[in-house]
mmCIF file of all heavy atoms in Angstrom:
data_model
loop_
_atom_site.group_PDB
_atom_site.id
_atom_site.type_symbol
_atom_site.label_atom_id
_atom_site.label_comp_id
_atom_site.label_asym_id
_atom_site.label_seq_id
_atom_site.Cartn_x
_atom_site.Cartn_y
_atom_site.Cartn_z
ATOM 1 N N ILE A 663 -5.590 -70.539 54.420
ATOM 2 C CA ILE A 663 -6.061 -71.617 53.527
ATOM 3 C C ILE A 663 -7.051 -71.082 52.349
ATOM 4 O O ILE A 663 -6.889 -71.503 51.219
ATOM 5 C CB ILE A 663 -6.664 -72.745 54.320
ATOM 6 C CG1 ILE A 663 -5.566 -73.278 55.207
ATOM 7 C CG2 ILE A 663 -7.243 -73.808 53.464
ATOM 8 C CD1 ILE A 663 -6.077 -74.327 56.306
ATOM 9 N N LEU A 664 -7.810 -70.170 52.859
ATOM 10 C CA LEU A 664 -8.878 -69.648 51.875
ATOM 11 C C LEU A 664 -8.118 -69.016 50.636
ATOM 12 O O LEU A 664 -8.714 -68.883 49.588
ATOM 13 C CB LEU A 664 -9.891 -68.719 52.566
ATOM 14 C CG LEU A 664 -10.843 -69.452 53.674
ATOM 15 C CD1 LEU A 664 -11.632 -68.382 54.237
ATOM 16 C CD2 LEU A 664 -11.664 -70.417 53.011
ATOM 17 N N THR A 665 -6.812 -68.546 50.870
ATOM 18 C CA THR A 665 -6.274 -67.789 49.811
ATOM 19 C C THR A 665 -5.762 -68.845 48.800
ATOM 20 O O THR A 665 -5.321 -68.474 47.663
ATOM 21 C CB THR A 665 -4.957 -67.035 50.312
ATOM 22 O OG1 THR A 665 -4.066 -67.874 50.836
ATOM 23 C CG2 THR A 665 -5.321 -65.954 51.378
ATOM 24 N N LEU A 666 -5.870 -70.150 49.083
ATOM 25 C CA LEU A 666 -5.430 -71.094 48.109
ATOM 26 C C LEU A 666 -6.521 -71.363 47.072
ATOM 27 O O LEU A 666 -6.472 -72.314 46.237
ATOM 28 C CB LEU A 666 -5.039 -72.390 48.885
ATOM 29 C CG LEU A 666 -4.030 -72.420 49.871
ATOM 30 C CD1 LEU A 666 -3.937 -73.738 50.621
ATOM 31 C CD2 LEU A 666 -2.662 -72.146 49.234
ATOM 32 N N GLU A 667 -7.635 -70.714 47.295
ATOM 33 C CA GLU A 667 -8.822 -71.073 46.405
ATOM 34 C C GLU A 667 -8.650 -71.186 45.018
ATOM 35 O O GLU A 667 -9.071 -72.111 44.320
ATOM 36 C CB GLU A 667 -10.144 -70.094 46.724
ATOM 37 C CG GLU A 667 -11.361 -70.719 46.120
ATOM 38 C CD GLU A 667 -12.638 -69.732 46.323
ATOM 39 O OE1 GLU A 667 -12.507 -68.734 47.123
ATOM 40 O OE2 GLU A 667 -13.396 -70.015 45.579
ATOM 41 N N PRO A 668 -7.874 -70.142 44.348
ATOM 42 C CA PRO A 668 -7.706 -70.283 42.862
ATOM 43 C C PRO A 668 -6.933 -71.489 42.508
ATOM 44 O O PRO A 668 -7.311 -72.209 41.534
ATOM 45 C CB PRO A 668 -6.840 -69.069 42.621
ATOM 46 C CG PRO A 668 -7.019 -68.073 43.733
ATOM 47 C CD PRO A 668 -7.399 -68.880 44.918
ATOM 48 N N ARG A 669 -5.952 -71.929 43.267
ATOM 49 C CA ARG A 669 -5.206 -73.109 43.007
ATOM 50 C C ARG A 669 -6.092 -74.434 43.208
ATOM 51 O O ARG A 669 -6.145 -75.385 42.504
ATOM 52 C CB ARG A 669 -4.044 -73.233 43.942
ATOM 53 C CG ARG A 669 -3.287 -74.574 44.087
ATOM 54 C CD ARG A 669 -2.298 -74.676 43.022
ATOM 55 N NE ARG A 669 -1.489 -75.924 43.025
ATOM 56 C CZ ARG A 669 -1.452 -76.804 42.073
ATOM 57 N NH1 ARG A 669 -2.055 -76.583 40.907
ATOM 58 N NH2 ARG A 669 -0.735 -77.869 42.273
ATOM 59 N N ILE A 670 -6.916 -74.332 44.270
ATOM 60 C CA ILE A 670 -7.859 -75.469 44.493
ATOM 61 C C ILE A 670 -8.790 -75.569 43.381
ATOM 62 O O ILE A 670 -9.244 -76.709 42.967
ATOM 63 C CB ILE A 670 -8.549 -75.312 45.873
ATOM 64 C CG1 ILE A 670 -7.519 -75.428 47.083
ATOM 65 C CG2 ILE A 670 -9.546 -76.460 46.174
ATOM 66 C CD1 ILE A 670 -8.066 -75.063 48.448
ATOM 67 N N LYS A 671 -9.392 -74.499 42.926
ATOM 68 C CA LYS A 671 -10.325 -74.415 41.761
ATOM 69 C C LYS A 671 -9.622 -75.150 40.559
ATOM 70 O O LYS A 671 -10.362 -75.951 39.904
ATOM 71 C CB LYS A 671 -10.689 -72.884 41.430
ATOM 72 C CG LYS A 671 -11.657 -72.903 40.419
ATOM 73 C CD LYS A 671 -12.042 -71.295 40.257
ATOM 74 C CE LYS A 671 -13.000 -71.298 39.048
ATOM 75 N NZ LYS A 671 -13.366 -69.898 38.775
ATOM 76 N N GLU A 672 -8.568 -74.797 40.331
ATOM 77 C CA GLU A 672 -7.670 -75.367 39.136
ATOM 78 C C GLU A 672 -7.573 -76.879 39.231
ATOM 79 O O GLU A 672 -7.927 -77.707 38.372
ATOM 80 C CB GLU A 672 -6.233 -74.698 39.252
ATOM 81 C CG GLU A 672 -5.465 -74.894 38.011
ATOM 82 C CD GLU A 672 -4.004 -74.259 38.440
ATOM 83 O OE1 GLU A 672 -3.870 -73.238 38.774
ATOM 84 O OE2 GLU A 672 -3.137 -75.047 38.377
ATOM 85 N N LEU A 673 -7.329 -77.319 40.520
ATOM 86 C CA LEU A 673 -7.055 -78.735 40.669
ATOM 87 C C LEU A 673 -8.467 -79.434 40.648
ATOM 88 O O LEU A 673 -8.585 -80.606 40.197
ATOM 89 C CB LEU A 673 -6.471 -78.964 42.133
ATOM 90 C CG LEU A 673 -5.064 -78.542 42.204
ATOM 91 C CD1 LEU A 673 -4.570 -78.615 43.705
ATOM 92 C CD2 LEU A 673 -4.180 -79.610 41.526
ATOM 93 N N ALA A 674 -9.522 -78.789 41.140
ATOM 94 C CA ALA A 674 -10.831 -79.361 41.164
ATOM 95 C C ALA A 674 -11.125 -79.693 39.655
ATOM 96 O O ALA A 674 -11.767 -80.676 39.267
ATOM 97 C CB ALA A 674 -11.919 -78.557 41.902
ATOM 98 N N GLY A 675 -10.924 -78.629 38.769
ATOM 99 C CA GLY A 675 -11.141 -78.831 37.303
ATOM 100 C C GLY A 675 -10.461 -79.897 36.772
ATOM 101 O O GLY A 675 -10.916 -80.566 35.940
ATOM 102 N N LYS A 676 -9.151 -80.095 37.259
ATOM 103 C CA LYS A 676 -8.290 -81.104 36.721
ATOM 104 C C LYS A 676 -8.848 -82.531 37.031
ATOM 105 O O LYS A 676 -8.806 -83.539 36.262
ATOM 106 C CB LYS A 676 -7.037 -80.986 37.250
ATOM 107 C CG LYS A 676 -5.880 -82.017 36.912
ATOM 108 C CD LYS A 676 -4.535 -81.577 37.228
ATOM 109 C CE LYS A 676 -3.516 -82.778 37.231
ATOM 110 N NZ LYS A 676 -2.255 -82.393 37.896
ATOM 111 N N TYR A 677 -9.315 -82.712 38.201
ATOM 112 C CA TYR A 677 -9.711 -84.026 38.731
ATOM 113 C C TYR A 677 -11.203 -84.336 38.711
ATOM 114 O O TYR A 677 -11.581 -85.431 38.818
ATOM 115 C CB TYR A 677 -9.170 -84.297 40.202
ATOM 116 C CG TYR A 677 -7.808 -84.378 40.337
ATOM 117 C CD1 TYR A 677 -6.966 -83.273 40.700
ATOM 118 C CD2 TYR A 677 -7.186 -85.592 40.119
ATOM 119 C CE1 TYR A 677 -5.547 -83.498 40.945
ATOM 120 C CE2 TYR A 677 -5.843 -85.817 40.317
ATOM 121 C CZ TYR A 677 -4.894 -84.753 40.724
ATOM 122 O OH TYR A 677 -3.634 -84.833 40.834
ATOM 123 N N ALA A 678 -12.075 -83.276 38.494
ATOM 124 C CA ALA A 678 -13.503 -83.528 38.511
ATOM 125 C C ALA A 678 -14.051 -84.443 37.635
ATOM 126 O O ALA A 678 -15.181 -85.089 37.841
ATOM 127 C CB ALA A 678 -14.121 -82.107 38.540
#
Side-chain angles (χ1 to χ4, degrees):
I663 295 172
L664 295 176
T665 65
L666 299 176
E667 191 185 346
R669 168 87 178 122
I670 297 173
K671 181 176 176 185
E672 193 186 303
L673 290 170
K676 176 173 168 184
Y677 288 98

